[in-house]
Amino acid sequence: MSWIRGAALAALALVATASHVTAQGASTWFLAEGANNATFAQEILVGNPSAQPVTVTVTLLPQADAIAPTLTRTFPLAATARLTVRLGADFQLNGSASARVSAVLASDGTTPADVVVERTMYFQGAAQPGSHNASGVTQAGLSSTWTLAEGSGGVFETFVLVANPNPTPTMVRATYLTGTGQSFVTTQEAPANARLTFYPRGEHAALATADFSTQIESLTGGNAVIAERAMYFDAFRSGHDALGVTSPSTTWLFAEGFTGGNATTAFETYLLLANTNATETVATVDYLLDSGAVVSRSYTLGPRQRFTVWVDQEGRDFDQRLRAAAFGVRVTATQPIVAERAMYWGTPSAADATSPTFPWTEGHATAGVPSGQARWAFAEGQQGTFGAAATRYDTFFLLANPNTVPVQVQATFVREDGTGIVRTICVAPNSRTNIWAQSYAELSGQRFATFLEAVGSADPACAATAGTPFVAERAVYSGAAFLAGHVNNGTPWTGTIATPPVAPAFAIASVSPSSGRMGGGQTITITGAGFQQGARVFFDNPAWTADRNANTRLADVDQATDVVVSPDGTTITAKTPARDFSNGYQTAGPTTVRVLNPDTTATTLANGYTFKLNVLAFGDDYVFGSVAGGRAATPWPARLQTSLQNYQKGLLNPATGVSTGTTVLQFGQYVSVTNGGVVGECASATGGLCTGTAGVARFPSLADATANADSANTFDTVVFVEGVNDIRAGVAPASVGFVYRDMVARARDRKIVIIMTKFENVSVGGLDSGQIKALGDALWAVTEDRSLNVEIYRQSLFDVQTSGNFPTQTGYDRMAQLIFEKLAREFPLQPCDARNDKPGQGCPRNP
């Protein structure tokens, strides 16, 4: 289709034979169609392209049976911004209503301000599987006559909607022109400041199965009206709408047409021609193919008759070049007529893959334009996803240049937050191109209005002259497989187009904190812009070689959890991925933080977050490093840190568990071991041979003080080496075990991996072997206490050389080596490493 390709058009003349509704005096607008109830959800869209804030007043013109508790509301609209008014939330409307929309400068509250207005309706209800859209009509665009080329019974439900914005009732006549030349007439009175609905098939039995055009006339002198037509099919799950035209023309132009598709979605196109004249008219349709060729065919339209051209069938019966073709359309007639184009799409037919089966998934329609314009305005535009809804929106602008010279189109997008972007695109002579909002990161997850203008260009590749006319349409699709969609041919614009403040690009500015423990589970805040609801956060590091081992318990161990995106898309809070033995910890160090939006756009921040291994060595003299006569030159926590920094981990083949012969530095400089030892401390007691603070009281404050000061330093693991001083002070081993249970629970609650140690085959602290064994048995009993609901790793400290009451330097080095080997096993680089000593956990190579 036109949004995924650009190619040549044959010369399409810009013949201005009828006036197009413009935005001249664009401070007051009217919308004929409108409804909000269990079936429909309506939005009114207002775009302000000026550099001044405005105040927008929306007044409903309800149908007689509507429940409309609020008729008028005012809304602020910032400079270069877009406003969305929801008739459900903002007006509590239940029923049908037309609307008047007016704008004044916010600075004085009285001076009219130019804005552009559209409305979009979704159906059914919150599921919104269908939608349609139409532009508003300015005060100058009101008319006593309107023509709508499309209308049909059969599988369609057709409604003609008329707004009477006058303070007095208006008699309105609808004349239906069928394809057989028969005419049917209905006359109704529209109440003052109200909406009126015509239901053709309910008014005339013959229209229940007929195709027809509609003429709307105000029979009350001086009372101009507005007319739209809405058509629904498939039990109101799908449908389209079009604003009527006030003047027939001998020329109509369309930027879009398609009869092809792909394996899942096929399109078909219809042209609807209304001859409102009392005499026969010949209409010639030029199909302007992307190849540059033109397929032309003339059709005879009977007097006051509706005529349908099924373009897909023309490709079968008239010219094969129209099969699976993309094209623009030019219609010229010997007398003024009215032309519309309708497109439908759905599952390809088994008999003909280029045609969709009925019921179609959705459709959209629009009247043509009688001439190109140098400037176009569009109030509606959405790209990406919004709020908690998973529905994705895609907006396309379809541009046709029917001139023999290039057109440089400047597109100004203004977002709801008052910022925007300005981009240019060159449309080659006699060609078409498109703008897909997804191409611009600043529009991701945004609602916006758009203003297109032909500007001058001195670039030899696009030597364009300002003011060159072109044709523009906008299509918005939503949901999977184009579940819903609508189209609009825009409003010719004559007002100001100011340059908006530059919108922030989709980017990550910072991550706080910027580092944290390897075990993850810590909350971070990502600041930036362009984050969509439903965004995902990843941590990428090329050095991670086997994190997606088939045996890992997590679907993606690089992905953040608990991701919450702020409503304005500027911040994300999330938790770093929680890793454990069975999932593998990977290497420590900096990673690239990546945010992936639901629309598949992504942005990264190199070295945005650093994973660190933080170890707490907790205990008494035997952690502090006491030796006979002072302190060891290198206490075991310092030696342990050096060993971990230099640790080279051998990689295994993730499928076989066989060594690959390659090693990586698993922790490097990104490991720290905190020496939390205190001379003379007992775990459970104070006073006497013990210090004034017991370990059981000190432990949580140490862990929490570190976490509160800098959550990046929250500990991954704690190594407990304490209890000998308790026994020396006469504390029973069972009492030591009791307070250890408290410390274990505190560590568990902080998601800290627990390593419990005991001395064996050593005389330390002046204790005999029986006392050492009794203490060890009490500590090991804690590791087996299931009520603690936590796994505790055990490491015996055996053959530790001592002198007097304390280990020697050699003894501390031995302790460091034993604890290093334990940490290397319990913090594996890869999941389910067969060399590790922990059985089970669903790891077939480590049974």
Side-chain angles (χ1 to χ4, degrees), residues 617 620-627 630-643 673-679 721 807-817 819:
D620 47 31
D621 302 73
Y622 310 102
V623 174
F624 176 80
S626 295
V627 294
R631 189 182 190 188
T634 308
W636 71 261
R639 181 76 70 188
L640 173 64
Q641 178 169 301
T642 300
S643 298
V673 180
T674 298
N675 189 323
V678 172
V679 174
V721 183
T808 63
Q809 180 66 66
T810 301
Y812 282 126
D813 291 347
R814 171 66 173 169
M815 292 173 65
Q817 179 63 30
I819 295 172

Side-chain angles (χ1 to χ4, degrees), residues 71-82:
L71 292 181
T72 299
R73 283 197 63 182
T74 59
F75 303 87
L77 176 55
T80 59
R82 175 358 234 275

Side-chain angles (χ1 to χ4, degrees), residues 409-646:
V409 175
Q410 178 173 284
T412 300
F413 301 91
V414 297
R415 311 191 320 179
E416 289 186 318
D417 62 3
T419 66
I421 58 173
V422 179
R423 298 290 186 267
T424 58
I425 185 168
C426 186
V427 190
N430 300 318
S431 71
R432 294 190 294 177
T433 191
N434 70 92
I435 300 172
W436 186 3
Q438 181 179 265
S439 303
Y440 307 130
E442 297 86 348
L443 300 182
S444 177
Q446 299 293 324
R447 298 180 173 93
F448 48 88
T450 306
F451 301 86
L452 306 176
E453 179 179 11
V455 297
S457 171
D459 184 351
C462 190
T465 301
T468 303
F470 63 99
V471 180
E473 293 184 26
R474 183 213 58 238
V476 178
Y477 296 90
S478 60
F482 301 114
L483 182 63
H486 54 75
V487 73
N488 192 296
N489 61 14
T491 300
W493 187 250
T494 59
T496 299
I497 304 177
T499 301
V502 177
F506 176 33
I508 300 171
S510 64
V511 180
S512 179
S514 60
S515 62
R517 64 184 182 187
M518 290 185 68
Q522 293 179 272
T523 299
I524 61 172
T525 300
I526 302 171
T527 59
F531 307 140
Q532 298 175 6
Q533 300 299 321
R536 293 183 289 166
V537 177
F538 296 87
F539 301 86
D540 300 329
N541 184 348
W544 293 344
T545 58
D547 57 319
R548 288 173 177 78
N549 182 294
N551 295 309
T552 186
R553 290 185 301 173
L554 295 180
D556 195 330
V557 296
D558 302 339
Q559 185 172 342
T561 61
D562 300 323
V563 176
V564 177
V565 182
S566 65
D568 63 1
T570 62
T571 62
I572 293 175
T573 58
K575 287 186 178 180
T576 55
R579 298 170 179 155
D580 59 21
F581 178 94
S582 297
N583 296 309
Y585 288 89
Q586 304 172 322
T587 57
T591 63
T592 294
V593 177
R594 173 167 52 100
V595 174
L596 177 63
N597 277 335
D599 65 3
T600 72
T601 57
T603 187
T604 60
L605 180 63
N607 301 322
Y609 189 82
T610 299
F611 286 97
K612 297 179 177 180
L613 178 66
N614 298 310
V615 180
L616 172 60
F618 188 83
D620 47 31
D621 302 73
Y622 310 102
V623 174
F624 176 80
S626 295
V627 294
R631 189 182 190 188
T634 308
W636 71 261
R639 181 76 70 188
L640 173 64
Q641 178 169 301
T642 300
S643 298
L644 290 170
Q645 288 176 340
N646 295 326

Side-chain angles (χ1 to χ4, degrees), residues 339-361:
E340 291 187 33
R341 183 211 65 232
M343 293 175 59
Y344 302 92
W345 59 91
T347 304
S349 167
D352 184 352
T354 66
S355 291
T357 58
F358 186 85
W360 304 298
T361 298

